Every structure is written in structure tokens, then in C-alpha cells.
Amino acid sequence: MNVFETLDPEMTNKQIDLFHGQANVARYGAGSPLMILHGAGGPEMWSQTVSSLSSCFDVMLPTHPGYGDDGLPDWLERVEDMVFHYQSLLDAMDLEKVHLVGHSLGGWIAAEIAARNPDRILSLQLVSPAGLLLPEEPMADNFLWTPEETIDHLVCRKEVSDRLKGIQTDDEAAILRYSRMVTTAKLVWAPRWHNPALHKWLHRITAPTNIVWGRNDSFIPFSYASEFSRLVQGSTISPIKNCGHAPMLDAPDEFTSKISSFAKENAK
Amino acid sequence: MKFYLFHFMTYPHAPTNFRDSGYKSLWMDHPNHYYDPKKGHALYERYLGEYELADRLGFDGVVLNEHHQTPQSMMPAPNVLAGAVSQRVKSGRILILGRALPIVSNPFSVAEEFSMLDNITGGRLITGFVRGVGIEYHGAAINPVDSQARYKEAHEIIIKAWTSREPFSYYGKHYQFPHLNLFPPPVQQPHPPVWIPSTGSKDTIEWAADPSRRYTYLQFFNRDYEGVKGVLNTYKETARRYGYEAGPEQLGWATPIYVAETDKQARDEAAEHIEVMFNEYMFMTQEMLIPPGYLSVESIKAVLAAKVGLKGRPRTKIDDLITQRRCLIGSPATVRSHIEQAIEEIGIGHMPALLHFGTLPQDLTQKNIELFAAEVMKPIREKYGIAPDEIRKSA
């Protein structure tokens, strides 16, 4: 049981063995391959978007190593390990080229993959991605937030916030939440939420890139969208009004529509 | 049985209504603009005077500790303060309980500082190693997930630095140093004593009691008397499993103590000051206290089972502290009887007594120290035939 949504039972979940460890991938739909890299809150909040995309795409939603029931694996120590993990996974799944969508931590991973393997990416969508730091406008310290404050920073619409705060959580959910935060802390505590070298290499991304950001993001400010856009050539910014750090929760219809359109425009 | 003056060196003029101003804690969160350097200087003078008083009255030693970014303790750099203390406390031991190892980038410098102090004091130093309170990881920007691993490596480096007479290198996961060559090496052989202050973790007990270490285990006052007894008995059982009998010199209990003429007078004089320490000066949120990875996922299951939620945490009250014997507050006879019970039931050998706490004013602190020395420490020493620490003679 989790705080946000539950994944569609139609999604088939598969465990894939890799040389260094395991991957867990939920898969749904048919068409051009599209992989979603979720954020530190977990994969569950992507249900609606996955459903919508599955009509045109072979949608893959892995649960990141360290975010499932098994906890933090020994080999996972930094975001770079995640990047290599996903490159290995794409190899193992025989996916030469893929549409990549990443949110927050997942957006950081997606940007790094795209910079290192530009030819592998059909289209790139970064949803309020982490990975850069603007020293005059650092991101908020999520590690000090209570569960209620976390919700307040993920969404800004009152009806959404009320609904999320109303979801009953039990000890099992609290343990999963803590376990996920341990993985997140391992990866992003210091340097906090960014790779100091990334800004030097984002120019290597060649895929059409869409940068989606909630205008009211109180975790990673909207101003970061311009910085990502400046560094990724030919990228577009898709702002969402009245929306916080998790557009898939705050503005699900508008968000899904933007992601869907961009992927379809760039489908091959 | 040895007695030490334990002190936090609190800055007692912090805004205790911080919650009304929307701050989560006086630690790290609340701005420091209320600090008055005139008062701060006067407080250091006063507190150093209290250490000197304890030394003159025959305490076996005085205790410093390390806390950052908080008015609860004006000791973010205990080794700096120990330098000042070493010139005022000339007879007894100086204990640093403890240095937070994982939050330093260079543990070798901890070995250096301690070795300097050992030499400056002529071998009167007792050292302590801790992981640091969880909030230190927020403040020092050190990854709490690496806390245990960094602690173990830092400890290894320090012991090696103290005991090696040849240069050496260290290549660990978290610390790598091609050239380590301590100068000067410490006075005490094989190295200064190491104590492990703790809140009661089983893993810490296992590690401290290991026959290769046999570090003195010091239990803090987060537990009541029965809890302290349980933890120290676990240490003794662990030692037995390892194949040896733990002695009193390996068992310590640190607790706030307030002595006055009668039980009621002690309770009334201490109440406001001890309650403000627990409820305001020491308060921090769950997220500050337990950053992710500071405790393992397994340990969190136990924390959840204990069902202590932020909203549900009741205010600490002196009468509960007294009943539970988390603090020893009463007449000399009352306090003596509690300590004697601990000596006889548990076999403790070290008692750092927190004789100043929270906002306790100077006159009451002095009275507490003097009364404790004359009517608790002295009679207990006489009853059990305990001499003060022999190091006091050679000073």
C-alpha cells in the first residue's frame, strides 16, 4: 500500500536479471518503445499517464533499484550507477532506441543517459528534473519535510493536496517511504540533488527535448527550466500553470496530454 | 566508581517560543540573531569557573561534548574548549564525550587534536567517539547513509595513528590518505582511553564490548533507570559471550542530577530549568533526529512500533523524570541511595553528573556542585572505600 496511486493491474511486471543486479519493469501497451524513469516518490503516481500513453506506445515503467521491497542494493551508490544500470537494461531488453521520459530524480538520470548515448534517444522529456544547481536559487531541503510538507511541495492544488493527505497510511507504507528515502539520500545528499559536471555535457543531447515544469514548483524552482533549456539545444519548455513539482498528480490531464503529444509528434 | 562534572554549556537566552514563530527547532533552524556576545563571553567564563570548581572539590574529571548549530551547547568544537579547560582544570581528567567522527572530513586531525591534548595535560585525557546526533548530518552535509561505515573507518585511522610509530597509509572506501605520521604521538599507552557514549543501540554495545576494544560504554539519560540497567546488563552479557567479565570501569551512566536540602526543594528549584532543557533546548523534529540512513530500515521498524509520533509526543515533566529516575533529583540522601543502587545492582564505575542543565542559574548550579561533592560524592567514596582518580595526585 502506498501513499499515491496504485499501478494498473493490467501492467505486467517483470524481473530482469542483469550482470550487476536486477531490474523490475512494468510494461503496458504496444507501439514505439517509451520508458518512464520515476522520481524519488516512486512509480505509483504515473498510472494515469501510462494508461493514456499505452494506446500508442509500448510503455515501460521500471521501479528503480532501491525503491522496491528489497531496499538499497550494494552496487547502487551514486546517480552514475543508475545511469549505467539503465544503459545495461536497455541493452538487455534489446532496445536500440527509445523515447525517454524522466521526472525529478528520474529526469536527472534521463538527461545523463541522453548526454552519454545521444543516438539511443528518440525523444526526451524532462519533467521538473533534478541534476543542475543554481547556487542563487538552490532547491528546497526535502529531507527536513514531514509527510504533510512533502505533499505540500509536490502539489499546489488544494483538492489534490487534501486527497493525498487523506490517504490512510500504515506501518508498511511508512517503512517503504523510509526505505525509499534511504536510497534517495544515498544518491543525492551531497552534492545535493545535482551533478556538478552535468552542465558541461548537456549540449551533447541531440534528441528533440521537452522540458515540462509546474510554474509553482516549490521544490526545484521553475527558473531551472530555462537553465536546462539553455543547455539542451533546440529544447522546448512546456510550463503548467497552477502546478507544483509533481504535475502528474497536480494536473494529470494537462500533463498527460503534453507528454503524449510531444512523444507522438516525435514518434518514428 | 568515578564522578565527573558533565555539562552542555547551554546558552540559556534562546527564544523558547520558537514554535510560535514558525521554526521547527532551536537547533539549526532558528536564526542566531538573539545571541549576545557579551553574555556568551560571560557564560564561557562562568562555565569554565564551574569546571574549575569541580576540579577543586575533587571530582575525578570534567566532561565536554560536541553539538553544532544549537544554543543547547556552546561546544561545537570540544577540542578547542578542552585546550582552555586544560589550563583551569589542573588535577582531574578531561573527558571529551564524544567527538562525532563521521562528520569530519579528516579523522586524522581528530587523532592529532586528542594527542595534543593528551600531551598538554600530561596524560589526563579520556576520549569518546560518537556517530553524532542525526541533525549533525543535515548541518555538516555528510551523507547519513554512510554514517556507520565512516565511523568504523575513522576509528581505525585514529587508533592506528595513535599507536603506529612508523608512517602509514590508509585506503578505505570513505577516507584515503597516502601519508599518515602523527606528531606528537600521545602520552598514554597504548593510547588514551576510548569511551563510547550511546543512547542504547545493540550494535554499539556489541562493537564496544568486543575483546579487542573493551571500550567503556556510557549510557545517556534518554532511558529511565530500568532501561539503563537493561542496556548495561546487555553489555555485561555481551562481554561474557565474548569470553570475559566486564568490569565497573567499562560501565557508565550519564544523567542530570540536582541536589538540594530536601526532595521537595530540589524538585521545585530544578523543575523549570530541566523541563525547558528537555522540551525546548533539546527539541528537534523526527526528520532532523533521524535523517534517512542514520538508522537502518530494520531499526525504523522498531521506532515505528514504539509509536512515538511528532504530534503525540507529550511534554517532559519533572515529576516523571524523578519517578522514572531518568534524572536524579532530590535530597542528598535520595540521590545517594539511587547512585548506591546503581553501584550495587549494575556495578557501574563511571558517573558523569549533569549538574547544570537548561537555564539553571549560576547560584543554583554552584550550590548543586558543592552539595553534590560534599554530601553525595564524598559519603559514597567513604562508604565504598573509593579513592579519587590517582591521576589527581601526580598533577
Side-chain angles (χ1 to χ4, degrees), chain A residues 77 144 149 178 185-186 189, chain B residues 24 142-143 146 173 293 295:
Chain A
E77 296 171 305
L144 289 175
E149 286 170 339
Y178 182 80
K186 181 69 181 177
W189 192 270
Chain B
K24 292 183 170 187
I142 295 291
N143 202 324
D146 297 334
K173 184 150 187 155
L295 294 183

Side-chain angles (χ1 to χ4, degrees), chain B residues 108-356:
Chain B
F108 182 73
S109 61
V110 174
E112 289 175 313
E113 289 174 10
F114 278 150
S115 190
M116 283 176 68
L117 288 166
D118 201 35
N119 278 279
I120 289 168
T121 60
R124 290 187 288 129
L125 180 70
I126 290 177
T127 73
F129 300 151
V130 295
R131 286 206 289 142
V133 183
I135 197 170
E136 312 295 10
Y137 293 81
H138 290 281
I142 295 291
N143 202 324
V145 185
D146 297 334
S147 173
Q148 291 279 12
R150 286 174 73 95
Y151 179 93
K152 298 256 160 78
E153 286 191 16
H155 164 264
E156 235 187 292
I157 290 169
I158 294 167
I159 300 298
K160 191 115 198 250
W162 279 341
T163 54
S164 182
R165 288 298 169 268
E166 298 284 329
F168 67 100
S169 47
Y170 186 88
Y171 289 101
K173 184 150 187 155
H174 298 280
Y175 300 109
Q176 293 99 31
F177 299 102
H179 310 285
L180 294 175
N181 187 358
L182 178 66
F183 204 93
V187 166
Q188 297 179 78
Q189 296 301 314
H191 57 72
V194 175
W195 287 23
I196 306 300
S198 174
T199 48
S201 138
K202 273 207 147 83
D203 287 337
T204 305
I205 294 172
E206 286 279 331
W207 185 84
D210 189 286
S212 65
R213 289 182 277 273
R214 303 194 194 204
Y215 291 154
T216 297
Y217 179 91
L218 179 66
Q219 176 59 36
F220 266 157
F221 52 93
N222 56 307
R223 297 191 187 225
D224 61 18
Y225 175 71
E226 290 302 313
V228 172
K229 189 160 77 162
V231 170
L232 295 177
N233 279 337
T234 302
Y235 185 97
K236 289 194 280 185
E237 279 148 31
T238 307
R240 258 174 229 128
R241 256 194 297 112
Y242 280 133
Y244 74 94
E245 280 299 307
E249 69 283 359
Q250 286 172 266
L251 307 171
W253 178 21
T255 184
I257 299 183
Y258 190 78
V259 197
E261 287 75 344
T262 64
D263 285 345
K264 181 173 189 324
Q265 190 179 337
R267 181 223 173 270
D268 292 343
E269 284 176 0
E272 171 198 335
H273 310 292
I274 200 140
E275 287 182 1
V276 81
M277 176 180 78
F278 278 103
N279 295 310
E280 272 70 55
Y281 281 85
M282 289 180 70
F283 178 85
M284 64 183 76
T285 65
Q286 192 86 320
E287 290 79 18
M288 291 170 167
L289 186 64
I290 308 177
Y294 182 79
L295 294 183
S296 65
V297 175
E298 276 308 305
S299 306
I300 279 297
K301 291 177 184 170
V303 171
L304 284 170
K307 300 251 180 274
V308 177
L310 189 64
K311 284 169 187 139
R313 207 188 302 173
R315 286 187 70 76
T316 301
K317 296 206 177 72
I318 187 165
D319 295 316
D320 295 328
L321 293 170
I322 290 172
T323 332
Q324 295 162 7
R325 266 179 286 157
R326 265 178 81 184
C327 306
L328 305 182
I329 294 170
S331 68
T334 300
V335 172
R336 272 200 315 267
S337 75
H338 291 326
I339 297 176
E340 286 169 14
Q341 186 176 354
I343 292 173
E344 286 164 23
E345 263 184 20
I346 310 172
I348 62 165
H350 298 287
M351 175 150 263
L354 186 72
L355 299 175
H356 173 271

Side-chain angles (χ1 to χ4, degrees), chain A residues 40 67 72 77 105 142-143 178-193, chain B residues 142-146 291-294:
Chain A
Y67 288 84
L72 180 66
E77 296 171 305
L105 173 65
N142 60 296
F143 293 107
Y178 182 80
S179 171
R180 286 176 170 178
M181 288 202 64
V182 173
T183 303
T184 305
K186 181 69 181 177
L187 300 176
V188 316
W189 192 270
R192 185 58 67 91
W193 279 114
Chain B
I142 295 291
N143 202 324
V145 185
D146 297 334
Y294 182 79

Side-chain angles (χ1 to χ4, degrees), chain B residues 11-43:
Chain B
Y11 183 82
H13 309 293
T16 51
N17 63 345
F18 60 88
R19 295 176 187 89
D20 299 337
S21 319
Y23 293 106
K24 292 183 170 187
S25 170
L26 288 172
W27 293 56
M28 196 176 74
D29 195 29
H30 197 290
N32 63 12
H33 50 52
Y34 58 84
Y35 179 79
D36 178 349
K38 274 215 174 91
K39 290 187 174 143
H41 175 70
L43 282 162

